[in-house]
C-alpha cells in the first residue's frame, strides 16, 4: 500500500493545517477499501473532507500489523513506554489549539470547551498513564516453605477500540493511553461523524516514535468497520463507548466470535437532585451546565432533575431565566457556549422525542426545540409534568431536561433509581448526613456531590446496570487492559 499525502485544511479560525485522511496502519497513512466517508461541519453543513474508510479486509491488515508488533511492545521496558506516552502528552499540548479547532469544526462543539475540557483532559490522561506504565505489578502469595506463588498482570495483546463522536479526541485519549501503557497493541475506530482528530492524533503517534503496528487508527461505519473489529478472531479485547443498543450487539459479537473481553461505556439518564438546604444559585448553575454542556451530547448528562418541593417553584423560575442566557452561536466565537448538534440524524432524533413528549402531555417550561439560529441548533429546553411512559424518559442526548418536585428522601431515591441506566448522579445539599446517605443509596457509577460532571484521570468512570461494564480511568482501567497470570513453583529447599 502506498502512503497517502495529507490534505491542507483551512479551519474557521483562519489557521491551516495538514489533515491525514488515510487509515493509519503500521505507522503509514494508507487508502481504505470501503467507500470514502465525507465528514461534515455541523455548523456550516459543508463537507470538510473525505476520509478513507476501513473494510473488514483492511481491519485484517491492521490486526496483522498489531499482531506483529505485539511481542516487541509487550517486552519494551515500561519506562520506555512511559517516555513515549509523556512525549505524546507533550505533542498534544503543543498542538492543543489545532486539535481543539479540529474537534470544534468536525463536531460543532464550542472551541473554548474543546480547548479547556477535551484537550486538557486528553493531555492529563496521557500524563497519568505514562506514570502508570512502570507501576503495574502483581502479588506474591504465602504458600508455605514448599511452594512459591505470584501473579503478573499481562496485556491482552490486540485490543479493538470503538469510540463515539461526542468527545472525539478525549475518548481517543481515554482508550489509547491506558491500553498502550499496559503493553497492549491497538486497532481503534473513530466515529464516522468525527474522524479528523483521530487521524491527526495518529500522526502524533508516529512523530512521538511509537514502533510501527503498535497503534493503528481507522474510521468507517459501525456496521462494517465496527462489526469487523467486534467479531475479529485475533482481537482479544474490545472497548466500546456509545449507545446501549450497540453495546449489547458488541457483547453478542464478542461472545459469538472468540469470547473476547468486553468493556462498555454506554448511555444514561442521570438524576440530578436538589435538596432545599442546597446553595440555591450554585445548584441552578450546576443543573444548567449538567444538561446543556456539549449540547447535551454527554453520556453523563444530568437529564432528570429532582427538586425538593419547598423550593421547586423558585427553582423552576431561576432555571428558566438561566436557560434563556445560554449563549448559542458560531462554535469559534469565544463567547459561544452552545453549538449545533453533531448531525441531522441526531437533530431529528431529539426533535422526535421532544414532539412525542409534548404529545404525551409534558409541559414546556423553557425552550421547546426550535432554535432561532435554525440549522442543527436545538434550543435548550426544560420539561415538567413528564409521565412514566413519556418518550422524554429515554436518553435524549440533547439539551433537554426533565424536571419534577419531590417530598421525601425515600421518594427521590426510588425515582432516581427507577431506570435501567446507572451511569452517573448528582446531588446538592448542605447536610453531610443527606450527602453520605444519598451516596450510599444511588445506583450509579459516579455520585457528584455539590458539583456535577467533569472527569479526572484519577477517578474511575463507568456505569451500573445497562450503562456499562467495566471502568475507564483511575487504576480500575489497568484491570480492564491486563489479565492476571498465576505462577506457582514447587520449591526444593536445597534437598538433593
Ligand atoms: P452508536 O452507538 O451507533 O455509535 C458509537 C460508535 O459505535 C461509532 O463509532 C459507530 O460507528 C459504532 N458502531 C455503530 N454500530 C456498530 C456496530 N453494529 N458494531 C460496531 N460498532 C458500531 O451511537 P450513534 O448512533 O452515533 O448515537 C445514537 C445514540 O447513542 C445517541 O443518541 C446517544 O443516546 C447514544 N450515544 C452515547 C454515547 C456515550 O458517550 N455513551 C456516545 C454517542 C452516542
Ligand atoms: Mg463531522
Amino acid at each position: 500500500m502506498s502512503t497517502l499525502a495529507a490534505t491542507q485544511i483551512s479551519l474557521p479560525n483562519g489557521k491551516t493545517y495538514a489533515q491525514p485522511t488515510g487509515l493509519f496502519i503500521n505507522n503509514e497513512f494508507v487508502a481504505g477499501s470501503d467507500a470514502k466517508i465525507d465528514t461534515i461541519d455541523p455548523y456550516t453543513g459543508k463537507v470538510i473532507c473525505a476520509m478513507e474508510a476501513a473494510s473488514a479486509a483492511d481491519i485484517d491488515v491492521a490486526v496483522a500489523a498489531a499482531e506483529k508488533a505485539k511481542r516487541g511492545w509487550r517486552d519494551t521496558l515500561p519506562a520506555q513506554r512511559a517516555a513515549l506516552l509523556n512525549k505524546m502528552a507533550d505533542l498534544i499540548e503543543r498542538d492543543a489549539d489545532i486539535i481543539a479547532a479540529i474537534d470544534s469544526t468536525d463536531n460543532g462543539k464550542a472551541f473554548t470547551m474543546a480547548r479547556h475540557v477535551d484537550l486538557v483532559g486528553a493531555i492529563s490522561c496521557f500524563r497519568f498513564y505514562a506514570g502508570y506504565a512502570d507501576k503495574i505489578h502483581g502479588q506474591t502469595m504465602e504458600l508455605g516453605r514448599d511452594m512459591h506463588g505470584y501473579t503478573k498482570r499481562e496485556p491482552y495483546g490486540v485490543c479493538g477500540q470503538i469510540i463515539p463522536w461526542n468527545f472525539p479526541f478525549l475518548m481517543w485519549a481515554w482508550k489509547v493511553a491506558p491500553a498502550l501503557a499496559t503493553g497492549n497493541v491497538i486497532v481503534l475506530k473513530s466515529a464516522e461523524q468525527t474522524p479528523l482528530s483521530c487521524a491527526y492524533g495518529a500522526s502524533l503517534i508516529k512523530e512521538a516514535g511509537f514502533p510501527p503496528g503498535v497503534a493503528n487508527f481507522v474510521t468507517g461505519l459501525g456496521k462494517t468497520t465496527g462489526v469487523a473489529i467486534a467479531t475479529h478472531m485475533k482481537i482479544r479485547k474490545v472497548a466500546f463507548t456509545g449507545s446501549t443498543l450497540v453495546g449489547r450487539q458488541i457483547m453478542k459479537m464478542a461472545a459469538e466470535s472468540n469470547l473476547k473481553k468486553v468493556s462498555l461505556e454506554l448511555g444514561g439518564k442521570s438524576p440530578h437532585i436538589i435538596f432545599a438546604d442546597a446553595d440555591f444559585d450554585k445548584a441552578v448553575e450546576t443543573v444548567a451546565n449538567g444538561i446543556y454542556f456539549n449540547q447535551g451530547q454527554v453520556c453523563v448528562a444530568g437529564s432528570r432533575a429532582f427538586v425538593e418541593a419547598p423550593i421547586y417553584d423558585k427553582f423552576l423560575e431561576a432555571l428558566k431565566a438561566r436557560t434563556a442566557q445560554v449563549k448559542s452561536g458560531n462554535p469559534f466565537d469565544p463567547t459561544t457556549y452552545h453549538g449545533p448538534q453533531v448531525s441531522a440524524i441526531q437533530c431529528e432524533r431529539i426533535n422526535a422525542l421532544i414532539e412525542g413528549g409534548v404529545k404525551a402531555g409534558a409541559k414546556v417550561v423553557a425552550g421547546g426545540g426550535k432554535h432561532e439560529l435554525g440549522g442543527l441548533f436545538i434550543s435548550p429546553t426544560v420539561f415538567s409534568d413528564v409521565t412514566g411512559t413519556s418518550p422524554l424518559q429515554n436518553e435524549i442526548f440533547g439539551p433537554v431536561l426533565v424536571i419534577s418536585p419531590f417530598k421525601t428522601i425515600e421518594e427521590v431515591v426510588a425515582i432516581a433509581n427507577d431506570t435501567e441506566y446507572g451511569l452517573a448522579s448528582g446531588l446538592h445539599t448542605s447536610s453531610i448526613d443527606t450527602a453520605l446517605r444519598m451516596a450510599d443509596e444511588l445506583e450509579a457509577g459516579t455520585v457528584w456531590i455539590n458539583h456535577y460532571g467533569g472527569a479526572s484521570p484519577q477517578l474511575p468512570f463507568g456505569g451500573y446496570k445497562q450503562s456499562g461494564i467495566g471502568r475507564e480511568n483511575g487504576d480500575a482501567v489497568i484491570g480492564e487492559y491486563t489479565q492476571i497470570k498465576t505462577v506457582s513453583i514447587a520449591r526444593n529447599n536445597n534437598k538433593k
Side-chain angles (χ1 to χ4, degrees), residues 39-42 48 105-107 192-195 342:
T39 189
I40 290 168
D41 171 348
I48 307 167
T105 312
D106 209 6
N107 163 286
E192 57 271 36
Q193 298 85 347
T194 55
V342 73

Side-chain angles (χ1 to χ4, degrees), residues 96-114:
D97 285 343
I98 296 172
I99 302 170
I102 293 172
D103 269 0
S104 178
T105 312
D106 209 6
N107 163 286
K109 62 173 65 204
F111 172 78
T112 42
M113 302 293 152

Side-chain angles (χ1 to χ4, degrees), residues 319-370:
L319 185 63
K320 195 174 161 180
R322 177 64 187 79
T323 299
Q325 288 165 6
V326 171
K327 172 82 170 55
S328 305
N330 184 334
F332 280 90
D333 176 338
T335 66
T336 292
Y337 178 85
H338 181 88
Q341 305 302 130
V342 73
S343 68
I345 290 177
Q346 284 301 115
C347 242
E348 282 160 24
R349 277 184 188 154
I350 297 163
N351 280 323
L353 290 169
I354 289 176
E355 280 163 29
V358 171
K359 272 200 197 120
K363 212 169 115 195
V364 177
V365 175
K370 291 229 172 329

Side-chain angles (χ1 to χ4, degrees), residues 177-449:
L180 298 184
T182 43
N184 292 283
V185 290
I186 61 173
V187 177
L188 181 148
K189 182 188 100 61
S190 58
E192 57 271 36
Q193 298 85 347
T194 55
L196 300 181
S197 61
C198 169
Y200 190 87
S203 69
L204 300 184
I205 286 279
K206 184 168 181 170
E207 184 179 347
F210 283 84
V214 166
N216 304 279
F217 301 97
V218 302
T219 198
L221 300 178
K223 62 181 182 195
T224 47
T225 323
V227 167
I229 290 173
T231 56
H232 206 284
M233 293 302 288
K234 294 280 186 202
I235 291 181
R236 300 298 169 184
K237 184 232 154 85
V238 60
F240 170 79
T241 300
S243 60
T244 295
L245 186 79
V246 174
R248 198 184 305 283
Q249 292 168 12
I250 299 273
M251 202 158 173
K252 264 194 202 156
M253 289 188 273
E256 284 167 6
S257 54
N258 61 347
L259 274 176
K260 54 178 69 64
K261 182 186 166 74
V262 174
S263 61
L264 306 171
E265 202 267 279
L266 309 174
K269 190 75 181 175
S270 298
H272 200 163
I273 301 161
I274 318 304
F275 288 90
D277 63 0
D279 176 334
F280 185 87
D281 294 340
K282 187 180 171 197
V284 172
E285 185 62 22
T286 309
V287 166
N289 279 307
I291 184 66
Y292 302 142
F293 174 64
N294 211 40
Q295 295 71 250
Q297 301 167 142
V298 185
C299 51
V300 295
S303 51
R304 292 186 296 147
F306 301 105
V307 182
E308 202 170 355
I311 61 163
Y312 181 70
D313 291 340
K314 187 179 161 205
F315 195 92
L316 219 55
E317 279 314 304
L319 185 63
K320 195 174 161 180
R322 177 64 187 79
T323 299
Q325 288 165 6
V326 171
K327 172 82 170 55
S328 305
N330 184 334
F332 280 90
D333 176 338
T335 66
T336 292
Y337 178 85
H338 181 88
Q341 305 302 130
V342 73
S343 68
I345 290 177
Q346 284 301 115
C347 242
E348 282 160 24
R349 277 184 188 154
I350 297 163
N351 280 323
L353 290 169
I354 289 176
E355 280 163 29
V358 171
K359 272 200 197 120
K363 212 169 115 195
V364 177
V365 175
K370 291 229 172 329
H371 197 292
E372 58 191 18
L373 293 176
L376 300 185
F377 281 87
I378 289 185
S379 61
T381 295
V382 180
F383 277 106
S384 67
D385 300 86
V386 175
T387 59
T389 54
S390 169
L392 296 170
Q393 300 287 10
N394 291 301
E395 180 180 48
I396 299 173
F397 229 62
V400 182
L401 179 73
V402 168
I403 193 164
S404 49
F406 71 90
K407 290 208 178 75
T408 64
I409 202 166
E410 290 76 16
E411 179 196 356
V412 78
V413 165
I415 39 177
N417 288 340
D418 185 19
T419 164
E420 276 300 305
Y421 290 120
L423 192 55
S425 59
L427 63 110
H428 294 258
T429 176
S430 55
S431 156
I432 187 77
D433 281 335
T434 305
L436 292 176
R437 180 167 165 200
M438 291 301 289
D440 287 344
E441 301 272 15
L442 290 167
E443 296 169 355
T446 294
V447 181
W448 286 301
I449 299 174

Side-chain angles (χ1 to χ4, degrees), residues 121-165:
I123 295 161
S124 60
C125 177
F126 271 92
R127 293 217 191 288
F128 184 74
Y129 289 107
Y132 251 102
D134 59 0
K135 295 168 194 69
I136 295 162
H137 47 74
Q139 298 172 311
T140 57
M141 281 74 179
E142 290 303 329
L143 299 174
R145 290 285 171 178
D146 297 333
M147 296 292 289
H148 179 67
Y150 67 96
T151 61
K152 299 175 68 184
R153 286 203 163 270
E154 295 193 338
Y156 280 91
V158 186
C159 297
Q161 304 178 311
I162 300 173
I163 61 171
W165 42 261

Side-chain angles (χ1 to χ4, degrees), residues 40-89:
I40 290 168
D41 171 348
Y43 180 64
T44 61
K46 292 193 179 129
V47 172
I48 307 167
C49 66
M51 297 293 287
E52 299 289 331
S55 65
D58 297 326
I59 293 298
D60 283 342
V61 175
V63 171
E67 275 281 319
K68 210 166 151 211
K70 181 172 86 174
R71 189 67 191 259
W73 184 242
R74 189 197 73 180
D75 295 341
T76 298
L77 278 181
Q80 173 62 10
R81 290 207 297 266
L84 286 166
L85 290 164
N86 267 322
K87 176 82 182 159
M88 265 310 276

